[in-house]
């Protein structure tokens, strides 16, 4: 399966960011899935309530039309309403699918408090495409191996991660380490697409560092981008997941759940 990793630097204007989605799909080079980062709809660092829309609202519907017209599945970060807060949602949309994963683990770390304005999700999400089961996760989720194991238990051969990773000392190294570690934890492919580095915006909000990374089920780096906006296509072999789980049966050998 070909998955396009579409590393962008989203703006605060959802309409402009739709054009980034459209361009990413055009550049997807025959991919079946086009993965964009967390906060594709609108970057962090501004009030999110005014831009949040439901999954059947104009922004998600426009992404669905883009995906359907190119016969691909687009996975992209957006914000949906949730009372006096929003949910941080990864939209999954294409010709025969339209759903969302609400981020479970909120980024209350490194001096940022996502839970102040964002409500947590509660349920892991997988979907099937061309006979392959794919899981979905968001940014800070990658620090929690139990979610990735739960997705593997639901049949995921690969986990698609959208992120807007916070910059700082050691954060790039942590990002790569965590992507590789989660691949080993669940013996699955991990395809992690982050926001490109936008430069210093004078904000403490996590606006991205780039270095989107794909790790195979043995934790090897199969693809890594720079810190700048770019699109690359990863070849995901579900058979590698089966082989990894045969020779490294960490899921079957678990004693604690």
């Amino acid at each position: 399966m070909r998955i396009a990793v579409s590393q962008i630097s989203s703006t605060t204007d959802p309409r402009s960011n739709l054009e980034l989605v459209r361009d990413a799909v055009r550049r997807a080079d025959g991919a079946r899935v086009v993965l964009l980062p967390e906060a594709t709809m609108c970057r962090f660092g501004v009030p999110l309530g005014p831009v949040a829309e439901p999954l059947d609202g104009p922004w998600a519907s426009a992404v669905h039309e883009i995906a359907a017209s190119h016969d691909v599945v687009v996975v992209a970060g957006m914000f949906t309403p949730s009372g006096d807060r929003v949910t941080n949602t990864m939209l999954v949309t294409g010709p025969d699918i339209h759903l969302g994963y609400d981020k479970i683990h909120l980024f209350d770390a490194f001096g940022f408090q996502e839970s102040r304005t964002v409500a947590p999700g509660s349920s892991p999400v997988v979907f099937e495409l061309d006979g392959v089961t794919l899981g979905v996760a968001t940014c800070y989720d990658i620090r929690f191996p139990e979610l990735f194991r739960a997705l593997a238990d639901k049949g995921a051969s690969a986990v698609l991660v959208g992120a807007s990773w916070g910059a700082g000392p050691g954060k790039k190294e942590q990002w790569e380490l965590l992507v590789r570690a989660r691949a080993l934890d669940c013996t699955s492919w991990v395809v992690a697409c982050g926001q490109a580095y936008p430069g210093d915006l004078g904000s403490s909000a996590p606006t991205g560092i780039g270095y989107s990374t794909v790790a195979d089920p043995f934790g090897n780096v199969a693809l890594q981008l720079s810190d700048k906006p770019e699109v690359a296509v990863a070849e995901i072999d579900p058979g590698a997941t089966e082989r990894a789980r045969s020779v490294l049966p960490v899921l079957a050998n678990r004693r604690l759940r």
Side-chain angles (χ1 to χ4, degrees):
M1 176 177 286
R2 292 168 63 82
I3 300 177
V5 180
S6 305
Q7 183 171 281
I8 63 169
S9 186
S10 60
T11 72
T12 59
D13 178 12
R15 288 187 183 180
S16 296
N17 295 333
L18 277 177
E19 294 308 309
L20 296 178
V21 174
R22 200 181 311 275
D23 181 64
V25 171
R26 280 197 297 259
R27 299 172 61 192
D29 191 25
R32 292 291 289 127
V33 178
V34 181
L35 174 63
L36 291 106
E38 176 186 30
T40 292
M41 181 191 206
C42 176
R43 70 164 173 82
F44 286 107
V46 296
L48 300 174
V51 302
E53 296 179 4
L55 287 176
D56 60 357
W59 197 86
S61 297
V63 176
H64 175 77
E65 291 175 7
I66 293 168
S69 67
H70 289 81
D71 194 28
V72 298
V73 172
V74 171
V75 181
M78 63 176 295
F79 301 101
T80 54
S82 180
D84 60 353
R85 294 187 285 178
V86 301
T87 50
N88 186 341
T89 300
M90 288 299 289
L91 170 68
V92 180
T93 189
D96 302 307
I97 189 170
H98 192 77
L99 55 85
Y101 161 68
D102 296 333
K103 184 179 182 182
I104 293 174
H105 302 98
L106 300 182
F107 183 55
D108 289 357
F110 292 102
F112 190 77
Q113 191 174 12
E114 187 177 11
S115 64
R116 184 175 59 83
T117 56
V118 177
S122 58
S123 300
V125 169
V126 299
F127 66 98
E128 187 173 307
L129 180 66
D130 299 342
V132 179
T133 302
L134 303 170
V136 186
T138 309
C139 204
Y140 194 53
D141 280 335
I142 207 164
R143 293 186 182 273
F144 298 88
E146 58 271 26
L147 173 59
F148 286 72
R149 294 188 185 112
L151 292 169
D153 288 342
K154 289 179 173 290
S157 295
V159 181
L160 311 178
V161 183
S164 186
W165 199 252
K171 294 297 294 297
K172 173 183 177 291
E173 291 76 12
Q174 290 177 36
W175 165 251
E176 180 181 316
L177 176 63
L178 288 162
V179 172
R180 298 177 69 185
R182 294 299 82 82
L184 282 166
D185 289 335
C186 63
T187 44
S188 302
W189 291 87
V190 174
V191 184
C193 181
Q195 291 272 349
Y197 180 59
D200 185 5
L201 298 176
S203 170
S204 64
T207 51
I209 64 166
Y211 296 101
S212 297
T213 300
V214 178
D216 73 16
F218 288 100
N220 302 304
V221 174
L223 175 72
Q224 187 172 76
L225 304 186
S226 70
D227 63 347
K228 297 177 173 57
E230 57 182 306
V231 177
V233 177
E235 295 275 359
I236 301 303
D237 175 15
T241 301
E242 296 177 10
R243 292 191 292 274
R245 292 177 182 174
S246 175
V247 301
L248 184 62
V250 292
L251 296 171
N253 292 344
R254 281 177 293 176
R255 300 293 297 275
L256 302 176
R257 293 177 185 261

